[in-house]
Amino acid sequence: MQLTPMLSQYLDIKKQHPDAILFYQMGDFFEMFFEDALEAAPLLEVTLTSRDRTAANPIPMCGIPIHALSTYLPRLLAHGKRVAVCQQVENPEHAKGIVKREVTRVFTPALVADPELVAPEVRNILFVAAPSDTGLAVCLVDLLASETRTGEFHSKDLFLDLLQEWQPKELLIPSALSSHEFVVEALRILPTMTVTLRDKFFESDDAVKAAAAYLKETQGLAGGTLSPPLRLVDHEALKLDAVTVSALSVVRTPWKDELSLSDVLDGTLTSMGRRRLKEWLLHPLSARKAIEQRLDAVESFLKDDAFADSIREPLKSLRDLERLASKSHLGLSLPRDLVAIREILKRIPALKTRLKTSKAARLKQLAGELDAMTSLAKLLDEALLDEPNTSIREGGIFKETYHPEIKEYRALSQDAKGFIAAMETREKERTGISSLKVKYSRVFGYTIEITKSYLDRVPKDYRRKQTIANGERFVTDELKKFEEKAMSAEHRLSSLEEALFLELRRKVAEASGKLLQNARLLSELDVLQGFAKVSKERGYRRPELVDSDSFVIEEGRHPVIETLMPQGEFVPNSIEMDDTSRTWIITGPNMAGKSTIMRQVALIGIMAQAGCFVSAAKARLPLFDAIFTRIGSSDDLTRGRSTFMVEMAEVARILGKATPKSLILIDEIGRGTSTYDGLALAWSILEYVHTEVGAKTLFATHFHELTALEKAFTGLVNRNVLVDRRQGDVVFLHRLGPGACSRSYGVDVAKLAGLPPKVLARAGDVLKLLESQSERVARVRSKALDPLEKQLLFFDEPKIPETLAPLES
Ligand code: ADP
Ligand code: MG
């Protein structure tokens, strides 16, 4: 095929980006050719055409207008595609031969260097994994938060947990890893994650270096992200694994779109604060001092409305400094971004003054750490107009006092208006044509317009330029000369402003680390004031954190469920645990509130360790090191394992990881197998947790047999959720009481649910039969409860007939 110069340039550039769709700028359009066009046209929903239609082999082609990039680009990224944006890098008017073009940026599913393309609450995460001795070395990159985290994983489960927590959009690995079991499993649970292979980045098996190389390739960023890497797994934090986060609805996730703890606790005023809040709830603290500092800050806001308002005021409608800082670091700031940065910086001095007066240590610290960056703020103030042009190429960015030539050129274009008016008056007089007009149009420049009826009066020095419907347009030498002067002033002005802007942008980019630091501090302040706001509105109280093992929650409420009910309808419950009662067996009918109270305890723990007040009249809490849950029927079909298998795997993990400082919630285990298996396992798990793990444990169960264990172990106690049955129907009181639930209420609940009376009566009869048969079991069982004699006679007894003989009617 005979290649035109343009096509051969295209193919050269395309060769450097074989796995990306190439957006090739031609004037006002990005065009795609060949395979790229075939692939992209249907995803973009644009028409597929062809170049050179008459040729034997027309080239498939499609395109989008440049200004619509932000509409179309996300469609390709959402399908896991990469896009290399190739722009004209010289003015076509000045080009000799073919216009020079370069790929200026590569967008990948995880690396979207444009904050406008990523919703404020979304974090676009890249995972980079390299082989390490017995597992994977992982580096996480959040480009828009300019954040990296690193860690090493030897356990597959931990790695998968991490994936579920961060939901990376893309995984960068060397091709040797693509069959690694961690990676294979990762793709099973996150099938939409894009895998990118780049062997050349991994010559040293260093995930951080590979990440940096990838940022260089796609963003042209030599230095990687702004802040030094954080730890991927924070050993100082209260550990919440992915199962727990999901079971407790700590944050809202795409696959579980229900009200979450972070929604309820969200009193933030900025989108960076909202993201920080999520992070705090997913990684609560475990160090007392840091928690107390947050609580002190919350309290100082809560107790002093005027002070709180004085802090809230400047935070209101504050733009997303975190993203502005990252954008600046990426060299992408536009004039209005710098104005936004300027406006944020202007609010800092007042904030610092106010924070300094606070007695709360953390707020005082914030006063010191926030940096008003006065010289940068001053520079931006002197430089930029309040509403500069959105583009950097067309001028209209700077104040005219910023540079002497700006004033001069602007004066020239101001003069143009005066010149035109003066010339119009003068020419009218000279020619006697009262309707004469001096006009400007983009295509024809400055002209003198004369209507038809006056054409005979046109002087000799007018040269005809264009015919219009009701007359003719002319130029004169004077007008032509003026036009050149005006045009070149405008042109010089816009190139001057562009150059000045690039210089200013570089200066701001140099300070982007400081800006990011400010962003983090402001978002922290935002979360703290938000905690105070919500705590006040919802009547939360400051928790007391104790070193002892005992813990008390008085009149605790489930923070999320209470908001879904009319005020005052949620029934508060108190919980007190110490060494004489560190394991609770909770019984009670279905729907009585067992699961609710268990989650409520865990959520209150999370709130406290995140530094928020808690939904209780009073709370004295220990510092948990981890919260583990095995709750309900959270079928983990995504991991492709059966429910029972999943349940046992989760329990195994809990038993392996929990310590005496942990809180464990086990809700209804042993349902997914036969009754005896289930009971046997629930029994032995309960014993093990109590005697070997020693964590604070809430254990809800439908196996009433287990309530007998109370007699065998000190510190293991029964509690039940009370019901009122006096009126014939069961009424759930949602109140926790001592002791075990006296009986099972399955039949009563079925009645509430509307089963036909005949079914209920029959079930009642069958139940009586079964209960009489199992009485002997109970007798034998009591013997088996000696913990030293761990033999469970219970299983020797054939108790319940496999099938029931039909009862006589
Ligand atoms: P269980 O686990 O015992 O089957 P749940 O904890 O799932 O019961 O509670 C069932 C429903 O009862 C909840 O969805 C809620 O509507 C209501 N409920 C539970 N606890 C309370 C409470 N303390 N106050 C008011 N309503 C409650
Ligand atoms: Mg339940």
Side-chain angles (χ1 to χ4, degrees):
M1 178 167 49
Q2 181 68 32
L3 289 180
T4 63
M6 191 218 81
L7 258 186
S8 76
Q9 182 193 52
Y10 172 88
L11 291 173
D12 273 352
I13 295 173
K14 174 70 194 173
K15 221 185 305 168
Q16 293 156 31
H17 299 274
D19 60 358
I21 290 175
L22 188 68
F23 276 22
Y24 183 82
Q25 184 186 1
M26 294 179 72
D28 293 337
F29 280 80
F30 283 125
E31 305 287 5
M32 286 145 270
F33 300 107
F34 302 105
E35 291 295 313
D36 283 359
L38 296 174
E39 191 178 359
L43 300 179
L44 293 170
E45 295 177 28
V46 298
T47 319
L48 186 68
T49 60
S50 52
R51 194 174 171 81
D52 235 350
R53 249 174 280 205
T54 49
N57 296 309
I59 299 167
M61 157 178 162
C62 67
I64 58 159
I66 285 189
H67 66 80
L69 183 68
S70 58
T71 312
Y72 287 105
L73 190 60
R75 296 190 193 163
L76 294 179
L77 299 176
H79 282 89
K81 306 287 177 218
R82 310 155 59 75
V83 175
V85 175
C86 172
Q87 288 176 300
Q88 296 172 343
V89 291
E90 65 178 343
N91 189 331
E93 285 167 27
H94 306 155
K96 297 192 186 71
I98 183 128
V99 183
K100 228 164 97 192
R101 291 181 173 85
E102 267 170 27
V103 170
T104 48
R105 195 158 303 273
V106 179
F107 291 87
T108 81
L111 301 178
V112 182
D114 183 349
E116 273 79 62
L117 297 181
V118 182
E121 68 281 5
V122 171
R123 297 188 67 170
N124 255 6
I125 303 291
L126 167 75
F127 263 38
V128 183
S132 77
D133 290 345
T134 53
L136 292 182
V138 175
C139 174
L140 167 157
V141 178
D142 177 342
L143 188 65
L144 291 183
S146 221
E147 182 179 305
T148 39
R149 291 172 183 263
T150 57
E152 221 172 300
F153 295 86
H154 305 295
S155 130
K156 186 169 71 186
D157 270 343
L158 225 69
F159 177 65
L160 296 181
D161 258 0
L162 204 77
L163 282 171
Q164 292 217 317
E165 177 187 337
W166 291 97
Q167 300 280 313
K169 296 247 163 54
E170 185 178 357
L171 176 67
L172 175 74
I173 49 169
S175 52
L177 275 192
S178 47
S179 54
H180 192 287
E181 59 162 334
F182 286 21
V183 173
V184 173
E185 189 80 350
L187 276 173
R188 273 234 309 232
I189 63 168
L190 287 181
T192 57
M193 181 171 67
T194 302
V195 176
T196 304
L197 304 174
R198 284 285 186 286
D199 289 348
K200 61 179 182 207
F201 294 165
F202 288 93
E203 270 148 19
S204 58
D205 279 351
D206 182 333
V208 179
K209 273 196 188 140
Y214 194 45
L215 287 181
K216 179 130 203 301
E217 177 192 287
T218 54
Q219 316 298 318
L221 262 190
T225 56
L226 268 177
S227 42
L230 304 170
R231 264 195 306 228
L232 205 37
V233 178
D234 186 353
H235 299 286
E236 313 278 272
L238 162 64
K239 272 197 270 326
L240 302 172
D241 57 21
V243 178
T244 300
V245 166
S246 161
L248 297 176
S249 295
V250 176
V251 294
R252 199 184 281 252
T253 51
W255 65 96
K256 198 172 176 199
D257 194 22
E258 58 181 42
L259 198 70
S260 67
L261 182 64
S262 79
D263 295 317
V264 172
L265 299 185
D266 188 357
T268 60
L269 297 163
T270 69
S271 40
M272 50 182 173
R274 205 154 304 131
R275 290 195 299 273
R276 190 69 63 244
L277 168 66
K278 273 196 195 171
E279 194 180 305
W280 282 18
L281 294 176
L282 290 172
H283 307 277
L285 304 170
S286 61
R288 165 199 299 280
K289 188 168 167 225
I291 301 173
E292 296 284 10
Q293 283 198 343
R294 286 188 188 172
L295 291 170
D296 285 344
V298 172
E299 184 163 342
S300 74
F301 285 130
L302 207 136
K303 284 199 167 150
D304 186 345
D305 281 335
F307 171 63
D309 287 344
S310 76
I311 300 298
R312 284 179 187 135
E313 207 42 52
L315 289 178
K316 270 182 203 153
S317 68
L318 196 73
R319 290 269 309 273
D320 197 333
L321 183 60
E322 188 172 68
R323 290 197 166 175
L324 287 167
S326 304
K327 200 172 172 185
S328 160
H329 175 59
L330 290 163
L332 296 172
S333 303
L334 293 174
R336 294 195 176 181
D337 296 327
L338 300 194
V339 171
I341 289 173
R342 175 183 87 189
E343 295 309 307
I344 294 168
L345 291 179
K346 275 189 191 166
R347 297 189 193 182
I348 291 182
L351 269 174
K352 283 169 72 90
T353 314
R354 287 164 200 167
L355 288 170
K356 237 178 252 163
T357 65
S358 170
K359 280 188 209 63
R362 183 61 194 143
L363 296 184
K364 251 198 169 44
Q365 273 173 17
L366 283 175
E369 290 170 16
L370 276 169
D371 187 340
M373 304 175 75
T374 34
S375 59
L376 183 69
K378 187 160 164 277
L379 174 65
L380 292 173
D381 209 29
E382 284 164 1
L384 297 168
L385 292 169
D386 287 343
E387 282 193 27
N389 207 330
T390 45
S391 151
I392 64 178
R393 295 247 160 94
E394 294 159 17
I397 301 172
F398 289 94
K399 289 183 178 162
E400 54 184 42
T401 43
Y402 184 60
H403 193 282
E405 280 174 50
I406 297 182
K407 190 162 183 180
E408 189 186 320
Y409 296 144
R410 287 222 182 115
L412 270 177
S413 72
Q414 273 302 312
D415 283 356
K417 289 196 188 97
F419 173 86
I420 287 169
M423 181 173 182
E424 206 172 273
T425 321
R426 191 160 25 87
E427 291 300 304
K428 270 183 194 167
E429 269 171 27
R430 178 159 82 101
T431 59
I433 306 172
S434 57
S435 64
L436 179 148
K437 281 196 177 84
V438 180
K439 288 208 157 170
Y440 174 76
S441 84
R442 263 191 113 79
V443 184
F444 294 98
Y446 290 95
T447 51
I448 300 168
E449 197 175 295
I450 310 280
T451 47
K452 269 183 192 150
S453 48
Y454 293 106
L455 283 174
D456 55 338
R457 297 201 205 170
V458 168
K460 287 221 172 57
D461 57 329
Y462 279 26
R463 291 196 306 278
R464 213 172 57 83
K465 177 102 185 221
Q466 185 201 8
T467 306
I468 51 171
N470 63 339
E472 307 256 339
R473 284 178 177 164
F474 300 87
V475 290
T476 63
D477 284 347
E478 187 193 9
L479 197 55
K480 207 71 212 153
K481 224 181 263 151
F482 168 76
E483 180 180 295
E484 269 157 31
K485 203 169 119 197
M487 289 301 213
S488 77
E490 198 165 292
H491 184 77
R492 291 222 297 277
L493 181 61
S494 54
S495 4
L496 172 67
E497 288 202 55
E498 182 177 352
L500 289 174
F501 182 76
L502 294 180
E503 188 188 313
L504 184 64
R505 169 156 94 179
R506 250 192 317 277
K507 276 195 191 133
V508 179
E510 276 162 25
S512 49
K514 260 263 148 59
L515 290 171
L516 187 68
Q517 169 79 359
N518 272 335
R520 303 246 159 100
L521 298 167
L522 289 169
S523 62
E524 176 180 348
L525 192 59
D526 191 14
V527 181
L528 291 170
Q529 70 72 26
F531 277 170
K533 176 166 175 277
V534 175
S535 295
K536 184 154 199 163
E537 276 167 14
R538 310 215 73 91
Y540 296 166
R541 296 290 157 77
R542 179 171 181 155
E544 186 191 338
L545 302 168
V546 291
D547 277 326
S548 87
D549 254 359
S550 64
F551 97 74
V552 181
I553 295 173
E554 277 175 27
E555 306 276 290
R557 288 116 52 204
H558 188 298
V560 179
I561 294 185
E562 91 164 324
T563 66
L564 299 172
M565 292 182 159
Q567 181 125 39
E569 262 186 33
F570 189 89
V571 181
N573 271 295
S574 299
I575 289 240
E576 197 168 341
M577 285 184 132
D578 55 26
D579 249 9
T580 64
S581 62
R582 71 161 184 270
T583 307
W584 282 19
I585 304 175
I586 305 176
T587 45
N590 245 330
M591 292 300 285
K594 301 183 293 298
S595 301
T596 305
I597 194 159
M598 292 171 73
R599 289 170 202 223
Q600 166 181 323
V601 173
L603 290 172
I604 286 176
I606 292 172
M607 290 163 87
Q609 290 187 233
C612 185
F613 284 17
V614 299
S615 51
K618 194 173 162 203
R620 201 141 45 83
L621 300 166
L623 291 167
F624 294 117
D625 64 355
I627 296 178
F628 296 100
T629 50
R630 167 56 229 179
I631 287 190
S633 56
S634 73
D635 282 31
D636 199 345
L637 293 176
T638 44
R639 286 202 197 178
R641 291 184 287 186
S642 83
T643 314
F644 183 66
M645 176 73 180
V646 171
E647 178 173 297
M648 288 302 121
E650 282 174 13
V651 172
R653 237 149 47 100
I654 296 174
L655 297 184
K657 288 205 268 180
T659 76
K661 289 194 167 309
S662 308
L663 172 67
I664 300 179
L665 315 183
I666 294 180
D667 197 352
E668 311 267 11
I669 51 167
R671 285 207 147 167
T673 180
S674 79
T675 312
Y676 282 1
D677 268 2
L679 173 54
L681 283 165
W683 182 313
S684 58
I685 288 165
L686 178 57
E687 276 189 5
Y688 186 90
V689 165
H690 184 71
T691 57
E692 308 277 328
V693 179
K696 298 274 182 297
T697 305
L698 299 169
F699 193 102
T701 185
H702 62 290
F703 293 120
H704 280 256
E705 291 83 347
L706 295 183
T707 57
L709 283 173
E710 181 183 55
K711 295 204 188 73
F713 296 97
T714 48
L716 189 151
V717 298
N718 285 314
R719 294 286 185 273
N720 77 106
V721 190
L722 305 173
V723 292
D724 187 352
R725 212 167 157 267
R726 276 167 308 181
Q727 250 54 44
D729 284 340
V730 287
V731 175
F732 299 127
L733 301 177
H734 303 304
R735 268 215 320 278
L736 204 59
C741 176
S742 55
R743 55 187 286 276
S744 177
Y745 288 85
V747 178
D748 306 78
V749 174
K751 184 176 169 197
L752 278 186
L755 273 186
K758 206 161 176 183
V759 175
L760 296 169
R762 170 75 169 159
D765 291 342
V766 175
L767 182 65
K768 271 196 203 101
L769 174 75
L770 292 175
E771 279 176 349
S772 71
Q773 293 211 5
S774 66
E775 244 164 52
R776 260 180 52 226
V777 180
R779 260 180 277 122
V780 180
R781 192 177 52 200
S782 61
K783 281 191 221 150
L785 291 178
D786 181 353
L788 299 175
E789 185 194 315
K790 283 230 167 104
Q791 132 215 60
L792 302 176
L793 297 176
F794 172 59
F795 295 103
D796 299 339
E797 299 263 326
K799 270 4 88 202
I800 302 162
E802 302 256 316
T803 52
L804 282 167
L807 297 179
E808 270 143 58
S809 50

